[in-house]
Amino acid sequence: QVQLVESGGGLVQRGGSLRLSCKAAGSINIWTMGWYRQAPGKERELVAEIDRSSTPTYEDSLKGRFTISRDNAKDTVYLQMNSLQPEDTGTYYCKATHSIVKSLAYWGQGTQVTVSS
């Protein structure tokens, strides 16, 4: 089992920035790491993923504002969020998906991001 702990959320004004971190209790080398978000009353959606080769994938509308990265030595994945807007408000979750056994996946507990207008 992979335990994931997110941090870095908070309250920020429109146009501000936040960097989220997701620390795994164990090596993330063989895991695709992803950030998802869920706004109140909406379904959880993919924000960005980064595979074991550090190749990122982004939700199209977020390209250019959000950057995902990973540090395998620290077992941590990051999400840098710039030019935040009120519609970015939600709970942000970290997910680890096994690179080979795609059905094997774990979620963190989430961190709240609130963007005020």
Side-chain angles (χ1 to χ4, degrees), residues 28-70:
I28 63 170
N29 288 2
I30 61 171
W31 299 85
T32 293
M33 302 301 295
W35 285 99
Y36 291 71
R37 68 184 183 185
Q38 187 166 19
K42 295 188 177 180
E43 293 187 354
R44 193 172 298 187
E45 63 177 1
L46 174 67
V47 173
E49 278 188 334
I50 186 165
D51 68 14
R52 58 189 300 185
S53 301
S54 294
T55 301
T57 303
Y58 296 95
E59 199 284 324
D60 285 344
S61 66
L62 300 177
K63 288 179 181 178
R65 291 197 300 125
F66 289 15
T67 302
I68 190 170
S69 61
R70 64 191 291 159

Side-chain angles (χ1 to χ4, degrees), residues 62-97:
L62 300 177
K63 288 179 181 178
R65 291 197 300 125
F66 289 15
T67 302
I68 190 170
S69 61
R70 64 191 291 159
D71 185 339
N72 287 350
K74 295 182 179 179
D75 299 319
T76 301
V77 62
Y78 304 97
L79 184 69
Q80 178 67 43
M81 305 186 294
N82 298 326
S83 301
L84 284 162
Q85 303 299 315
E87 53 265 35
D88 295 316
T89 293
T91 303
Y92 284 68
Y93 297 91
C94 180
K95 181 182 180 183
T97 305

Side-chain angles (χ1 to χ4, degrees), residues 12-29:
V12 64
Q13 290 187 335
R14 179 198 299 265
S17 297
L18 284 173
R19 188 176 84 151
L20 306 183
S21 299
C22 171
K23 177 75 167 71
S27 173
I28 63 170
N29 288 2

